Amino acid sequence: MSTKYGGYMGKVLKIDLTVQEASEYPFSDEERELFIGGKTMAAKILGDHLKGTEQAFSKENLLVITTGPLTGSGAPSSSRFNISTLSPQTGYLTSSNCGGNFGYYLKKAGLDGLILTGQCEKPTWIEIQNDTVKFHDASGLWGMKTSKTQEMLDDALRLGNGRVRKNGKICIGPAGENQVLYSCIVSNERVFGRGGTGAVMGWMNLKAVCASGNKEVPVYDKERMVKHTQKWFRYLRNHPLTGSQLPKLGTAGLVSAMQMKHILSTKNYTYGQYEDFEKVSGEAIAEKYNIVNKGCLTCPIRCARTVEVNGRQVKGPELETLVLLGGGILNNDLESIFKWNYDLDELGMDTISCANTISYAMEANEKGIWDNGLKFSETEGISALFEDIAYRRGIGDELALGSRRLSEKYGGKDFAIHAKGMELAAYEPRKAVGLGLGYATSNRGGCHLNGGYLVILEGLGLSVNQTTYHGKADLTMLFQDLMEMISAAGQCLFTSYAFFPSPLMKHPNSWYTKLVNKVLPYCGPVVRIINKYPEIACFHLPVFHHTKGFEYTTGMKMTFGDYIRCGERGYNLEREVNRRFGVDANKDALPKKLTKILQDPKNPDSRVPLEKLKKVYYHARGWDANGLPTRALLKKLKIVTKTEMEG
């Protein structure tokens, strides 16, 4: 189905793996205007099919791979693409985002999205080249780790002149093949980490998909977009966060700030500080280990680190891995974290959920409710444990289920650190309560990004009062919606860091920065007006280049207010799909360790006041008391799915 808009290839392909047939899936320009692309497009497609009775491991589930209109456009950090499905980990709709090159090459093949359904009779990999789809036997690849799989796929795509055809790949490792509930999908060295997308692909008997082609992404106003992109690149390079901190230290550079602000998760979120934090910090990596910075396609930030593991240069650990496999289990050996990060990527497992599941098991053993032999700070044999999880052997077969299911079996629900079945990220929310609300209300579970990442106001960018509830609900909604739209458009969320004016970041002790920190929590009513009536923001912001970039690429009108509304639509659409699977206010929960137990016994505010925050948040969103979008809100946002129309 062709399109009048730039940025889109005008075609979504649906592949039935059971019968090995491909057909075009209709997606109209009216749907593009409302649901944009990426995770929001995927939510619309899933919402049109899922009724609430399906299981993740079933032929009724879909694995939906989508790009955004800016993917491959040349805009900064615009190689992102998305995979959404019904999660085996949570039982709800999940989305996972990646910066590998598959999305770029999917568009080179002429596709905005790829829908996979059914189940292959035997292990299979798919080759897509322009308009051609081929199915190949993957029996020889089954069991291989992710880097070897990708090497073998390149060999299979080698041309007559000996060169490898330029292509993008996604694949799973042994963890996905064995349906570890938090297994992931890998593209190059980049990972769709969250929600168990790899397990769904493994259940489908699908080892990999390769895409290639010679088509170009159309840009509506190329001349203006080129000029705007140049300006945008300069702005990002000159900003303290995207031009200095992230390039110099990567996400690992946040460890020291998290320590200072008491939000560094330690010993399964028992504490907010780790005494050996300096040994596992971004500074430690930069001073001794980092070989070279790397970045995704068209990225000026280049936040990835490169380290050496077993004589091979590989991607270094991101913040989450560094913290959760560091202080999270009381391990101060940085080189061991390098190796474990590589091991987990090779096996195809989410480092966040895996680390938190192990730390839950350590605490359960410490408390005497599950004799499993795992102890904090005793890390010998961890690599072997990862292998056992991936291949479902011994205790690994149980750890493959994640902390929620283990706590249901052995007890310890109060310290199984998850939301909706997905383990939390590395930020301890008792000293960042806005992020705590975000964790609880995130559509995909315990995610800092889908949760709005309010911690950037609560100590990692600005320094507003970390434990006040004032303004946090309204700001969480705004940030969730903005980040929803950035993802839908096909860009990295790190580009949003530059939303905060440089002087505030460069001069944290200035009178004006202190004033902003003091006043911002009390701006909730103003933020709510913008959230409720975004049409009043009928302009472009000089610190937010995304709106003009979207206009110049697609030809769609996109003011700052329009941008917020699109994000709000996407967020509510996912919530509405999850309603069918039982999501409500009771599911927007955190373990009692975070809501009842004080991090600091001397500070009565050092816990997440979740119920108070939820009440304000639901009202701000226009949801009912049960935490669900009202019919009036869905109508206003033009959210109607085929499933509802048929019902």
Side-chain angles (χ1 to χ4, degrees):
M1 183 177 288
S2 61
T3 175
K4 65 182 179 182
Y5 291 116
Y8 297 97
M9 308 310 293
K11 185 177 181 180
V12 176
L13 191 69
K14 183 177 181 180
I15 298 178
D16 187 328
L17 300 173
T18 304
V19 295
Q20 295 195 350
E21 289 182 355
S23 59
E24 184 171 354
Y25 181 88
F27 204 84
S28 67
D29 274 350
E30 182 181 2
E31 289 173 307
R32 290 184 179 92
E33 292 165 4
L34 292 172
F35 306 108
I36 308 300
K39 68 196 304 285
T40 307
M41 174 190 279
K44 177 64 167 67
I45 293 168
L46 284 159
D48 283 345
H49 287 81
L50 300 178
K51 298 179 180 179
T53 57
E54 297 84 357
Q55 300 294 317
F57 298 144
S58 71
K59 292 183 179 180
E60 290 73 37
N61 193 12
L62 308 176
L63 192 73
V64 184
I65 306 166
T66 45
T67 63
L70 268 66
T71 306
S73 68
S77 309
S78 59
S79 70
R80 309 298 295 194
F81 62 113
N82 176 81
I83 297 182
S84 293
T85 190
L86 184 61
S87 168
Q89 184 180 21
T90 67
Y92 306 122
L93 175 66
T94 193
S95 60
S96 198
N97 196 275
C98 179
N101 65 0
F102 181 80
Y104 171 79
Y105 280 102
L106 192 65
K107 293 186 84 167
K108 293 287 283 184
L111 299 175
D112 294 313
L114 180 63
I115 304 169
L116 301 170
T117 185
Q119 185 182 45
C120 301
E121 184 178 350
K122 60 182 180 180
T124 300
W125 70 275
I126 296 174
E127 175 188 0
I128 301 172
Q129 184 183 19
N130 290 324
D131 298 319
T132 302
V133 178
K134 295 180 181 179
F135 300 86
H136 300 279
D137 185 358
S139 298
L141 300 175
W142 208 253
M144 285 186 183
K145 295 182 178 179
T146 58
S147 63
K148 183 63 175 178
T149 297
Q150 293 181 88
E151 289 173 14
M152 295 297 288
L153 290 169
D154 276 339
D155 284 342
L157 297 174
R158 202 170 294 280
L159 303 172
N161 60 8
R163 294 181 180 177
V164 175
R165 183 198 310 152
K166 291 183 178 180
N167 69 91
K169 293 176 284 290
I170 56 172
C171 72
I172 58 172
E177 296 170 1
N178 294 300
Q179 294 157 48
V180 173
L181 296 189
Y182 45 83
S183 54
C184 57
I185 296 172
V186 176
S187 177
N188 301 124
E189 289 187 306
R190 293 301 194 177
V191 174
F192 293 93
R194 319 272 6 235
T197 57
V200 174
M201 196 163 157
W203 182 89
M204 289 178 165
N205 267 334
L206 185 63
K207 180 65 173 177
V209 183
C210 298
S212 62
N214 57 8
K215 300 179 182 179
E216 297 296 326
V217 177
V219 175
Y220 178 77
D221 192 334
K222 195 164 187 177
E223 184 178 350
R224 295 177 77 182
M225 184 58 184
V226 168
K227 291 180 180 178
H228 182 69
T229 296
Q230 292 170 344
K231 179 181 177 182
W232 199 348
F233 268 86
R234 286 195 299 271
Y235 182 79
L236 291 170
R237 286 179 175 134
N238 290 328
H239 194 276
L241 296 182
T242 55
S244 180
Q245 178 178 303
L246 282 169
K248 287 180 180 178
L249 299 175
T251 56
L254 295 174
V255 168
S256 297
M258 292 166 68
Q259 170 79 5
M260 183 173 65
K261 296 293 183 178
H262 295 256
I263 54 178
L264 189 72
S265 297
T266 302
K267 198 183 181 186
N268 195 34
Y269 300 77
T270 301
Y271 312 110
Q273 291 185 310
Y274 178 42
E275 62 181 3
D276 287 337
F277 79 97
E278 291 178 319
K279 296 180 180 180
V280 290
S281 65
E283 289 83 358
I285 295 176
E287 289 170 9
K288 187 175 180 181
Y289 296 102
N290 188 42
I291 299 169
V292 66
N293 289 12
K294 287 187 177 180
C296 303
L297 292 172
T298 70
C299 181
I301 300 171
R302 302 181 69 78
C303 67
R305 311 293 94 180
T306 307
V307 298
E308 186 174 295
V309 173
N310 297 331
R312 180 176 181 176
Q313 291 186 15
V314 300
K315 174 174 67 72
E318 301 288 347
L319 170 75
E320 315 301 330
T321 310
L322 201 61
V323 173
L324 297 173
L325 287 174
I329 59 172
L330 301 185
N331 167 53
N332 63 13
D333 183 354
L334 187 56
E335 291 185 13
S336 70
I337 300 175
F338 294 164
K339 184 179 185 306
W340 296 341
N341 180 66
Y342 178 66
D343 289 342
L344 289 166
D345 283 355
E346 284 286 273
L347 294 165
M349 277 196 289
D350 174 17
T351 59
I352 296 175
S353 284
C354 186
N356 276 335
T357 298
I358 290 172
S359 63
Y360 157 80
M362 288 176 171
E363 185 162 351
N365 184 56
E366 184 177 76
K367 285 181 162 53
I369 64 173
W370 180 21
D371 184 9
N372 54 48
L374 297 174
K375 298 179 181 180
F376 289 109
S377 78
E378 295 185 11
T379 59
E380 186 177 352
I382 291 290
S383 287
L385 183 62
F386 293 156
E387 295 268 339
D388 288 342
I389 296 172
Y391 291 99
R392 307 293 292 259
R393 298 184 301 229
I395 190 178
D397 188 42
E398 291 198 280
L399 293 170
L401 300 175
S403 60
R404 178 178 69 176
R405 287 171 174 81
L406 290 173
S407 69
E408 290 169 351
K409 178 178 180 179
Y410 291 106
K413 291 182 180 180
D414 292 355
F415 58 84
I417 309 298
H418 71 86
K420 301 184 179 76
M422 179 183 285
E423 287 76 14
L424 269 56
Y427 311 88
E428 217 280 39
R430 288 177 292 182
K431 283 294 185 76
V433 301
L435 181 67
L437 172 65
Y439 279 144
T441 57
S442 164
N443 284 321
R444 70 175 185 173
C447 175
H448 55 306
L449 300 174
N450 194 224
Y453 202 66
L454 212 66
V455 70
I456 198 167
L457 302 183
E458 297 173 308
L460 299 188
L462 294 177
S463 294
V464 304
N465 186 320
Q466 295 170 243
T467 56
T468 184
Y469 69 89
H470 290 293
K472 298 292 179 70
D474 297 283
L475 287 164
T476 294
M477 175 183 169
L478 176 63
F479 278 55
Q480 285 174 335
D481 292 347
L482 281 172
M483 297 178 93
E484 193 81 358
M485 181 54 178
I486 291 171
S487 290
Q491 286 190 279
C492 176
L493 294 177
F494 286 168
T495 59
S496 68
Y497 284 16
F499 179 70
F500 302 97
S502 292
L504 297 179
M505 303 295 107
K506 289 180 178 178
H507 307 291
N509 295 316
S510 66
W511 67 267
Y512 48 83
T513 303
K514 289 181 179 179
L515 179 63
V516 169
N517 288 330
K518 188 76 173 177
V519 171
L520 193 56
Y522 300 97
C523 293
V526 176
V527 175
R528 186 171 302 183
I529 291 172
I530 296 172
N531 285 338
K532 191 170 184 178
Y533 305 106
E535 57 272 14
I536 65 176
C538 53
F539 46 75
H540 299 283
L541 289 175
V543 295
F544 196 74
H545 295 72
H546 301 68
T547 52
K548 283 188 177 181
F550 190 93
E551 280 192 359
Y552 297 155
T553 299
T554 65
M556 292 185 202
K557 177 179 174 292
M558 189 60 66
T559 64
F560 184 65
D562 295 329
Y563 206 88
I564 295 171
R565 180 68 86 201
C566 286
E568 181 188 12
R569 182 179 297 113
Y571 208 87
N572 278 275
L573 173 58
E574 287 194 346
R575 184 76 171 190
E576 179 60 17
V577 173
N578 280 342
R579 175 213 294 260
R580 302 172 197 167
F581 293 91
V583 158
D584 57 21
N586 292 325
K587 303 299 190 303
D588 292 339
L590 294 173
K592 288 183 180 179
K593 177 183 267 193
L594 304 179
T595 61
K596 300 296 183 183
I597 299 175
L598 299 175
Q599 187 196 93
D600 178 2
K602 297 179 181 179
N603 181 357
D605 293 327
S606 62
R607 62 179 182 84
V608 182
L610 185 57
E611 294 307 312
K612 180 185 289 187
L613 286 165
K614 280 165 57 177
K615 185 176 181 180
V616 180
Y617 175 83
Y618 292 161
H619 181 68
R621 276 226 175 262
W623 293 354
D624 62 24
N626 202 27
L628 297 170
T630 63
R631 294 293 103 186
L633 177 62
L634 294 174
K635 183 178 180 181
K636 182 180 78 170
L637 295 175
K638 300 179 181 178
I639 295 175
V640 180
T641 65
K642 292 176 183 176
T643 299
E644 291 168 323
M645 288 190 290
E646 290 169 0

